[in-house]
Amino acid sequence: NAGVTQTPKFQVLKTGQSMTLQCAQDMNHEYMSWYRQDPGMGLRLIHYSVGAGITDQGEVPNGYNVSRSTTEDFPLRLLSAAPSQTSVYFCASSSTGGPGDTQYFGPGTRLTVL
Amino acid sequence: DAKTTQPPSMDCAEGRAANLPCNHSTISGNEYVYWYRQIHSQGPQYIIHGLKNNETNEMASLIITEDRKSSTLILPHATLRDTAVYYCIVRENDNTNAGKSTFGDGTTLTVKP
């Protein structure tokens, strides 16, 4: 299993540009999440999904859109990039909500918005 | 989810036990305690979790106080590769909260030779 994969690893955007961060998992996990991590801080939840076709907002959703058309993929779209969105973005997946459920994280995408 | 409080940083000598504390005084009865770590800006890695009993796995031990208001993660023989930021998280272990972890700022553990 490749686990959770994210592309690209690095990206530089200009203010106002749009882009999609890709996330895929091959573990047949129902739950997927997007977090951002600013320098020296913990992760903050952007959006999450409990299954294909179902998404919901997390703590910091503004400026981001998500969709979940398949179990495997959970892309994060930046509609109009702003310097405040410069951050490291992590995607995570987990199998169930029951005891023993743990999250598996991808390697991250480092985004710089100029 | 209940909030957690961790010291911002700790040092530990290589080969010694590292004891990382976490305060979660507002934890509710059905919330679990999870520990993750993040090595040098990689994605966080799951370590261990528990509800009320002490837990041990191949990576660490988790000691939860009887009133469940605090816990300690123990790395029994710390190595240089254990240098990382350690996050203590509490959340309910049900379908509505799966995938929704609230990360604080964690504890930066530095293991020194």
Side-chain angles (χ1 to χ4, degrees), chain B residues 11-50:
Chain B
D11 291 342
C12 177
E14 188 178 19
R16 304 295 295 269
N19 297 284
L20 291 90
C22 180
N23 181 285
H24 32 79
S25 58
T26 60
I27 192 170
S28 63
N30 54 354
E31 287 184 312
Y32 283 68
V33 180
Y34 285 79
W35 283 84
Y36 286 79
R37 73 180 183 183
Q38 188 175 26
I39 297 173
H40 191 53
S41 298
Q42 299 176 18
Q45 174 192 25
Y46 165 80
I47 302 172
I48 198 167
H49 76 283

Side-chain angles (χ1 to χ4, degrees), chain B residues 90-111:
Chain B
V90 294
R91 69 172 174 86
E92 293 188 22
N93 223 12
D94 59 27
N95 290 343
T96 61
N97 288 285
K100 294 167 59 181
S101 294
T102 299
F103 288 78
D105 293 334
T107 295
T108 298
L109 174 69
T110 302
V111 180

Side-chain angles (χ1 to χ4, degrees), chain A:
Chain A
N1 284 353
V4 180
T5 58
Q6 293 183 238
T7 57
K9 291 185 178 179
F10 301 92
Q11 183 70 49
V12 178
L13 293 177
K14 294 181 179 178
T15 297
Q17 287 185 315
S18 63
M19 79 158 294
T20 299
L21 280 63
Q22 301 292 343
C23 174
Q25 52 89 11
D26 61 359
M27 298 173 282
N28 201 32
H29 284 172
E30 289 295 319
Y31 300 89
M32 296 186 74
S33 312
W34 275 103
Y35 296 84
R36 62 175 286 174
Q37 185 174 35
D38 298 332
M41 298 179 65
L43 282 72
R44 291 184 293 170
L45 183 65
I46 305 172
H47 285 286
Y48 67 97
S49 169
V50 300
I54 306 170
T55 64
D56 207 345
Q57 296 181 350
E59 179 186 356
V60 288
N62 292 340
Y64 308 95
N65 274 359
V66 292
S67 61
R68 185 95 179 272
S69 56
T70 67
T71 300
E72 295 77 19
D73 301 298
F74 191 41
L76 178 71
R77 280 182 286 276
L78 280 71
L79 308 174
S80 177
S84 60
Q85 294 179 304
T86 294
S87 190
V88 182
Y89 291 84
F90 291 101
C91 179
S93 73
S94 55
S95 58
T96 71
D101 169 57
T102 63
Q103 287 184 286
Y104 295 83
F105 286 82
T109 293
R110 283 145 185 83
L111 175 68
T112 301
V113 182
L114 303 175

Side-chain angles (χ1 to χ4, degrees), chain B residues 24-75:
Chain B
H24 32 79
S25 58
T26 60
I27 192 170
S28 63
N30 54 354
E31 287 184 312
Y32 283 68
V33 180
Y34 285 79
W35 283 84
Y36 286 79
R37 73 180 183 183
Q38 188 175 26
I39 297 173
H40 191 53
S41 298
Q42 299 176 18
Q45 174 192 25
Y46 165 80
I47 302 172
I48 198 167
H49 76 283
L51 182 62
K52 46 179 118 171
N53 297 324
N54 298 338
E55 302 287 345
T56 295
N57 63 19
E58 63 278 5
M59 290 181 68
S61 295
L62 174 61
I63 308 298
I64 303 174
T65 58
E66 192 168 344
D67 63 7
R68 302 208 325 120
K69 293 185 177 183
S70 65
S71 61
T72 300
L73 178 74
I74 301 173
L75 307 178

